[in-house]
């Protein structure tokens, strides 16, 4: 598991990293507010990889009610999710 950075990244840094990840893995450029599922940029299989990336890159656990499509529908939604999980102390994903 990756260590949590000593300083929390800003929303702009998270957004830029997620956009770069989507571009590198999906080979498509998307805007921060693009509906990733409706546009076809993210498939159901790729969505699993996206969840794993968020957990690993930001040291959070996406579980329970947080594990829903709306939290991954756009880059902005993912930024809000990451910020919320980080502020709730949702570090170190647990696999109980």
């Amino acid at each position: 598991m990756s260590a949590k950075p000593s300083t929390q990244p800003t929303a702009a840094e998270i957004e830029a990293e997620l956009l770069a990840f989507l571009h590198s893995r999906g080979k498509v450029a998307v805007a921060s507010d693009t509906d990733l599922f409706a546009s076809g940029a993210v498939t159901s299989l790729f969505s699993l990889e996206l969840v794993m990336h968020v957990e690993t890159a930001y040291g959070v656990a996406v579980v329970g009610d947080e594990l829903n499509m709306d939290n991954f529908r756009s880059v902005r939604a993912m930024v809000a999710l990451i910020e919320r999980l980080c502020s709730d102390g949702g570090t170190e994903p647990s696999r109980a």
Side-chain angles (χ1 to χ4, degrees):
M1 289 185 208
S2 65
K4 184 177 180 183
S6 58
T7 59
Q8 198 163 320
T10 66
E13 290 169 336
I14 297 169
E15 182 176 306
E17 189 280 327
L18 289 172
L19 287 169
F21 177 78
L22 286 166
H23 187 333
S24 71
R25 300 294 295 154
K27 306 299 183 212
V28 294
V30 295
S32 298
D33 59 350
T34 298
D35 185 324
L36 300 171
F37 297 106
S39 69
V42 172
T43 63
S44 59
L45 185 58
F46 183 63
S47 67
L48 296 174
E49 184 177 346
L50 194 52
V51 171
M52 291 177 57
H53 173 73
V54 166
E55 288 186 334
T56 302
Y58 298 99
V60 297
V62 183
V63 297
D65 292 341
E66 300 293 5
L67 191 57
N68 70 65
M69 286 179 61
D70 288 336
N71 285 331
F72 292 87
R73 191 164 301 284
S74 69
V75 169
R76 285 189 184 153
M78 287 185 275
V79 169
L81 171 68
I82 292 163
E83 290 185 316
R84 185 169 61 252
L85 292 175
C86 286
S87 69
D88 289 346
T91 59
E92 284 305 308
S94 66
R95 303 286 183 220

